[in-house]
Amino acid sequence: LDIDETLSATNLAWFQRLIQLFGNDPSDTNRSEHSIIEEYHLAQHVPWWKNNPKALAWMDRQRKDPKAQDGLPLIEGSVEGVNSLLKNSKILLVAYITVRPVSVNNNTIQWLQENSFP
């Protein structure tokens, strides 16, 4: 199972933090993070952040920082869904997959355990 945007609402957490640190849509400062996610999907595609060297540097640090994985919000129903998949199907859960760098492995495993993923 993939982790980001399947089990963890990583984009939501990132977009909320980026708005706090680097600002919202200059043409609509009250724009919701959900609306921005829907339009751009990834933070590095958002024009007012991708053209901001400090925002890009923050994103790069977040990708590599083990602590950035701590406390990420769950996708609603993800724990129940994984448990149901295991209980009600012949599919054996073999692994969790992610494009996260090795430097965050321990914190990612800890996040999975803290959130009761099998």
Side-chain angles (χ1 to χ4, degrees), residues 1-13:
L1 294 169
D2 188 21
I3 296 174
D4 296 307
E5 303 318 309
T6 304
L7 307 178
S8 167
T10 309
N11 270 353
L12 179 62

Side-chain angles (χ1 to χ4, degrees), residues 11 14-15 18 40-47 49-50 59:
N11 270 353
W14 271 49
F15 278 63
L18 281 159
Y40 298 105
H41 183 63
L42 296 173
Q44 61 265 30
H45 297 157
V46 177
W49 297 329
K50 78 177 185 179
M59 289 181 230

Side-chain angles (χ1 to χ4, degrees), residues 34-55:
H34 296 285
S35 167
I36 302 168
I37 291 168
E38 186 176 314
E39 183 171 350
Y40 298 105
H41 183 63
L42 296 173
Q44 61 265 30
H45 297 157
V46 177
W48 53 94
W49 297 329
K50 78 177 185 179
N51 296 319
N52 179 334
K54 290 182 180 179

Side-chain angles (χ1 to χ4, degrees), residues 83-101:
N83 285 317
S84 177
L85 180 67
L86 290 173
K87 180 181 175 186
N88 299 316
S89 73
K90 295 179 189 237
I91 297 172
L92 177 63
L93 180 64
V94 177
Y96 293 98
I97 59 171
T98 184
V99 296
R100 294 177 180 184

